[in-house]
Amino acid sequence: MNPEEIMKKIKEQEGLSRRDALKMMALSPIAASVLASSAAPASAEAASSDAVGKVVIVGGGSGALMVLARLRRALSKPDITIIAPNEKHVYQPGQIFVAAGEYDPEDIIFDNTGYIGDDVTWIKDEVATFDPDNNKLTTKKGTEVAYDYLVVATGVQYHYEQIEGLTVDMIGKNGISSVYLSDLAAGTAEGGTITRDWFNALHEAAKTSKPRVICTQPSTPLKCGGAPQKILYLSDDFLKRDKLTADFIFATASEKLFSLPEIDTAIQKVQAGYGNITNKFGHDLIRIDAEKKIATFHHKYQVQGEFDKDLNEYDMIDKEEEVEMQYDFIHISPPTAAVDAVANSPLAWQKGTAKGWLEVDRETLQHRRYKNVFGIGDVCGIPVGKTGGSARHQGPIVVGNLISVMEKKEELALKFDGYTVCPLKVSYGKIIMAEFNYDGLAPSFPLDPAQPRWVWWAFDLYMLQPMYRYLMLNGLM
Ligand SMILES: Cc1cc2nc3c(=O)[nH]c(=O)nc-3n(C[C@H](O)[C@H](O)[C@H](O)COP(=O)(O)OP(=O)(O)OC[C@H]3O[C@@H](n4cnc5c(N)ncnc54)[C@H](O)[C@@H]3O)c2cc1C
């Protein structure tokens, strides 16, 4: 679709005024590429600070590149080292569109070199250990790197192996899929293509039978917590469009479909529309028997006990059990944790619910104990959904506050409000755009966020990828 056609459809479907439609279209791919081509190299822009010091950025994903671009522009004498193994960058949100057959696999892999300027020292390696008490770290190849300031942007690590009976090479065979599957260090993302094949195999099977499909969500924090449901609804709709059907089970360790009540209610309506989805709340996948196609879940639940006259309420008793479910097709969302180098270091929270994740202040994003260290993105142990949208909002905060520390200022003026976003694809052509922060819903555009809309589908499918590629990764938005 060209931008004119998109705008016509936005006006028809959403009843937006021409002015509002134009406002949205200002974010079109054309606008993005024009801006990208006119974007000055970092060094040519006016710098806002003469602060000096060696800054080391660890990671080569969304958060790291956003910080790198902004820092190169802000410092008049930048001395920046990036430690990142990947020459290729994966646009991870696009894995869902690859699965849905809307993108080709190559649409989501970009060359990292263009984002890391010649003035930056690039160590193509991974950090093995952090030693923040001595302001240094060691890479896997054994290089010791000292720093004055450190930004940690290492994202998350998948733990498929925590599901007994599952190994990564089983994904893509015997009805098992996982859109998450990727090797970010190698710059590959197999999960999208594997899940596209899984959609097609399911479609084929539904022509002659009514397959049973399970989509899982683990108990750990998950990057893009909406992805398990995106796959659930898109695969269901993929069948529905050809008048085929299956029995879908959404087996989630969570007790609800979405943390915000308004969005939870909207999703319940979506599910009622499908009419073939059963939710299994409190179910965490722990084992898989790929040969027999049986998935086993740890199920936590409560039963009503004695009535307590003093409290005037029933006592609730915690119960747990193992539950086996037969499947024909299963989509697995893996348990995740911070990468080992962070989780096993003094930089991690040492106790509490965020144990193992980077211990930063939820507003300033400065490390709570090591004041010359900042964090951005999924690695942060703060109560925020792990999304690229969050990283985008965190970028200016991290850079602004880091420069304040470099300038020896007492106060860190910039505060992150907890912004995150979930573009929940509830069918082909409809998205619920849930944007929220520490205080609740925070829509960027004056439209009811609980309403599934084609305009958000168009925005996500056609506009977000070029905006991400040309603007966000260059620190221009
Ligand atoms: C299927 C899927 C769908 C998604 N959909 C959306 C969406 O719709 N909207 C949205 O906003 N977000 C979405 N996301 C989430 C988004 O991609 C992430 O939140 C975002 O990429 C986080 O950025 P990051 O920099 O923290 O981590 P990443 O971008 O994951 O980058 C981490 C980097 O650190 C590197 N690294 C790891 N360990 C080390 C080490 N020890 N030393 C050096 N480098 C290391 C990795 O190689 C990688 O380059 C989705 C993610 C997935 C997987």
Side-chain angles (χ1 to χ4, degrees):
M1 249 185 203
N2 65 43
E4 276 308 311
E5 288 167 334
I6 298 172
M7 185 145 111
K8 194 161 166 264
K9 194 156 181 198
I10 290 173
K11 285 171 66 190
E12 276 166 22
Q13 297 228 342
E14 309 296 337
L16 292 182
S17 69
R18 185 175 163 73
R19 193 171 154 271
D20 281 347
L22 274 168
K23 215 160 138 191
M24 299 208 67
M25 288 310 297
L27 304 173
S28 74
I30 287 181
S33 19
V34 168
L35 271 164
S37 58
S38 64
S43 54
E45 293 188 18
S48 61
S49 174
D50 294 329
V52 290
K54 178 175 175 182
V55 182
V56 171
I57 300 171
V58 184
S62 315
L65 296 185
M66 289 175 197
V67 164
L68 177 68
R70 286 177 182 274
L71 210 52
R72 283 176 68 216
R73 271 203 303 277
L75 295 174
S76 60
K77 295 181 269 299
D79 174 6
I80 308 174
T81 296
I82 187 164
I83 304 177
N86 51 310
E87 295 195 358
K88 299 279 175 201
H89 179 97
V90 179
Y91 173 57
Q92 297 172 63
Q95 283 171 262
I96 301 284
F97 281 135
V98 173
E102 299 284 341
Y103 282 176
D104 289 327
E106 55 273 17
D107 293 339
I108 64 167
I109 310 287
F110 317 143
D111 198 338
N112 241 1
T113 323
Y115 300 106
I116 302 175
D118 293 341
D119 56 328
V120 175
T121 305
W122 182 3
I123 300 177
K124 291 180 190 169
D125 199 353
E126 287 180 280
V127 172
T129 54
F130 289 96
D131 180 4
D133 291 309
N134 295 301
N135 292 332
K136 62 180 189 188
L137 52 84
T138 308
T139 69
K140 286 191 175 164
K141 290 177 191 157
T143 311
E144 204 174 87
V145 182
Y147 58 82
D148 298 310
Y149 306 96
L150 176 70
V151 179
V152 183
T154 46
V156 310
Q157 183 173 331
Y158 299 139
H159 284 290
Y160 286 103
E161 80 290 348
Q162 286 178 4
I163 298 162
E164 198 185 317
L166 181 70
T167 51
V168 166
D169 61 351
M170 288 161 62
I171 298 169
K173 297 173 195 148
N174 282 323
I176 302 174
S177 183
S178 179
V179 75
Y180 282 93
L181 191 64
S182 62
D183 180 349
L184 296 182
T188 60
E190 306 80 359
T193 323
I194 284 174
T195 308
R196 180 190 291 190
D197 293 344
W198 184 86
F199 271 43
N200 287 331
L202 170 61
H203 188 276
E204 205 48 41
K207 286 180 184 164
T208 52
S209 65
K210 195 176 184 197
R212 180 185 247 210
V213 186
I214 302 178
C215 294
T216 74
Q217 172 133 10
S219 55
T220 61
L222 188 63
K223 91 172 114 181
C224 186
Q229 288 188 66
K230 293 177 190 176
I231 294 300
L232 171 72
Y233 306 129
L234 287 173
S235 57
D236 201 346
D237 197 35
F238 189 65
L239 300 185
K240 202 173 155 196
R241 292 191 311 175
D242 287 335
K243 302 198 172 20
L244 298 171
T245 191
D247 285 325
F248 283 86
I249 292 175
F250 181 49
T252 169
S254 169
E255 291 302 332
K256 42 184 131 163
L257 293 169
F258 207 89
S259 56
L260 295 171
E262 300 88 336
I263 306 297
D264 190 87
T265 307
I267 301 174
Q268 286 175 36
K269 271 193 219 151
V270 167
Q271 289 201 349
Y274 280 107
N276 59 351
I277 300 171
T278 306
N279 295 312
K280 295 282 183 187
F281 294 113
H283 283 70
D284 194 11
L285 180 66
I286 53 166
R287 196 176 307 123
I288 194 153
D289 183 335
E291 237 163 71
K292 292 188 184 146
K293 293 198 163 183
I294 294 173
T296 306
F297 296 83
H298 182 226
H299 177 213
K300 281 191 192 166
Y301 62 107
Q302 288 191 318
V303 292
Q304 192 174 290
E306 302 266 299
F307 187 74
D308 188 316
K309 282 189 189 149
D310 285 346
L311 294 173
N312 197 27
E313 64 184 29
Y314 283 96
D315 192 19
M316 296 306 288
I317 303 163
D318 290 329
K319 295 266 187 188
E320 50 189 305
E321 61 182 355
E322 284 193 7
V323 176
E324 287 189 351
M325 290 182 213
Q326 191 82 43
Y327 65 84
D328 298 300
F329 293 87
I330 187 164
H331 179 270
I332 297 174
S333 301
T336 66
V339 300
D340 288 344
V342 171
N344 301 331
S345 81
L347 292 175
W349 286 92
Q350 302 298 308
K351 57 183 182 179
T353 47
K355 190 174 171 195
W357 298 92
L358 190 72
E359 186 183 335
V360 289
D361 179 85
R362 66 182 223 159
E363 290 184 332
T364 63
L365 303 169
Q366 183 186 37
H367 198 279
R368 285 163 33 102
R369 288 172 285 117
Y370 300 100
K371 302 298 178 190
N372 59 339
V373 179
F374 284 80
I376 182 167
D378 295 348
V379 71
C380 296
I382 55 177
V384 169
K386 299 192 180 302
T387 67
S390 296
R392 180 169 77 82
H393 281 239
Q394 290 166 353
I397 312 278
V398 169
V399 171
N401 285 342
L402 170 60
I403 288 173
S404 293
V405 172
M406 293 172 80
E407 291 174 342
K408 315 288 179 226
K409 288 190 181 142
E410 293 284 311
E411 277 286 300
L412 299 189
L414 302 177
K415 311 271 187 226
F416 174 55
D417 66 0
Y419 176 89
T420 194
V421 57
C422 176
L424 189 60
K425 295 146 183 78
V426 295
S427 67
Y428 279 80
K430 293 273 178 193
I431 281 181
I432 292 177
M433 188 62 86
E435 292 175 283
F436 49 106
N437 60 25
Y438 292 136
D439 297 328
L441 280 171
S444 303
F445 205 75
L447 293 171
D448 176 4
Q451 183 69 36
R453 292 175 190 278
W454 182 87
V455 68
W456 295 133
W457 174 268
F459 175 74
D460 198 347
L461 184 64
Y462 302 114
M463 302 181 199
L464 215 49
Q465 190 261 29
M467 282 167 63
Y468 176 88
R469 182 173 189 170
Y470 299 115
L471 301 181
M472 295 180 204
L473 292 186
N474 283 310
L476 294 169
M477 69 175 293

